[in-house]
Amino acid sequence: MAITEIRRRITTGELPPEVSFSEATLCEELGMSRAPVREALIVLNQLGWVTSQPRSGYLVAPMTLNDLRDLYTMRSLLEPKAAAQAVRQIEELPDEAGSLSDFSANHDDPSDPEWLNRHYRFHRRIVVVGLNREMDRVLSEVLLKLERYFLIDAVQRALAEEPLAHHDLANAIVSGDHKAAADAAALHISQSRVLVTEAILSSDGIRSMPLSRSAGSPPRGAAQ
């Protein structure tokens, strides 16, 4: 599908943040006709992946610390509830319980090229098991947008040094403890937020960014 491929290119940086592109150019690169690409771009514009530029195509959405904060806020509000809801269904879905445990025990390795996809499926599966379609719709977008930040070099290095273990979360859900599952999800999200944010803030690009005072703001103590 056009929307999946365009979103993949944005996530991986093939379409970099704040870079303009035209519908025609994208159609040529994807080998698709204009109709499905146009429809995909309309949806991605509504979801915040791109911004429509009058008479000049589209602009890939930037990656900002404010956006990162907002994405984690959404996770912290919804995922603990999703984990608690999953507990209510997990006994009737033994295959799903096995999938959660299998990822946390055997595939939770950020150095694996498939880790990011498995990580997404792990968290998405928790919501799906809870049978809340609206929560799944929102969180799936949040998780996909976060992948852009997980692919930053500094974050990749941080994950290699301090992996985000998922076994406590998986075990809490499989064990059938609602409160433990919600608490494990909240703790996991908090740890992930700290790791990703600190990795970005300590990266070379941030450390070398020039600092300046806003125009019109005089130094403290200056004559008025």
Side-chain angles (χ1 to χ4, degrees):
M1 293 177 61
I3 190 170
T4 301
E5 178 59 19
I6 297 169
R7 188 158 43 193
R8 184 195 68 78
R9 290 182 177 220
I10 294 173
T11 299
T12 60
E14 293 175 54
L15 285 172
E18 300 188 90
V19 168
S20 296
F21 62 92
S22 70
E23 181 184 301
T25 301
L26 193 57
C27 288
E28 183 177 349
E29 291 178 356
L30 297 178
M32 296 182 181
S33 63
R34 287 214 168 187
V37 172
R38 181 178 296 119
E39 291 174 5
L41 289 172
I42 290 172
V43 173
L44 291 172
N45 182 46
Q46 294 170 340
L47 293 174
W49 289 85
V50 300
T51 302
S52 176
Q53 304 290 298
R55 297 179 297 279
S56 60
Y58 289 85
L59 185 73
V60 177
M63 297 169 64
T64 70
L65 288 173
N66 281 340
D67 289 339
L68 179 65
R69 177 202 61 200
D70 291 346
L71 291 169
Y72 270 108
T73 296
M74 290 299 294
R75 286 191 72 185
S76 65
L77 288 171
L78 296 178
E79 276 197 75
K81 296 182 183 298
Q85 288 182 0
V87 168
R88 297 184 176 92
Q89 305 293 332
I90 201 70
E91 289 185 2
E92 300 176 14
L93 300 167
D95 290 344
E96 297 293 351
S99 295
L100 292 175
S101 299
D102 181 60
F103 169 78
S104 64
N106 302 314
H107 301 290
D108 198 4
D109 179 6
S111 65
D112 183 342
E114 289 298 313
W115 179 81
L116 197 59
N117 288 331
R118 288 172 175 151
H119 175 266
Y120 168 76
R121 290 197 297 268
F122 172 86
H123 285 282
R124 176 88 185 276
R125 182 170 283 114
I126 292 172
V127 189
V128 170
V129 169
L131 302 179
N132 189 320
R133 292 183 179 179
E134 287 302 309
M135 192 180 292
D136 177 39
R137 180 181 61 81
V138 174
L139 274 174
S140 64
E141 278 297 313
V142 169
L143 292 167
L144 286 170
K145 287 181 178 178
L146 275 173
E147 290 187 359
R148 301 176 75 193
Y149 296 87
F150 275 90
L151 287 171
I152 294 173
D153 288 343
V155 177
Q156 292 272 289
R157 290 193 294 271
L159 285 169
E161 295 172 2
E162 188 181 350
L164 292 170
H166 294 75
H167 55 80
D168 288 345
L169 176 54
N171 290 345
I173 293 172
V174 173
S175 70
D177 188 326
H178 301 77
K179 185 177 185 305
D183 290 346
L187 178 60
H188 176 78
I189 294 162
S190 175
Q191 291 173 335
S192 177
R193 182 204 298 257
V194 170
L195 184 147
V196 174
T197 303
E198 289 188 350
I200 292 172
L201 289 174
S202 64
S203 64
D204 292 339
I206 295 293
R207 287 202 301 266
S208 62
M209 180 180 294
L211 302 176
S212 61
R213 188 175 62 254
S214 298
S217 301
R220 183 174 297 178
Q224 300 293 315

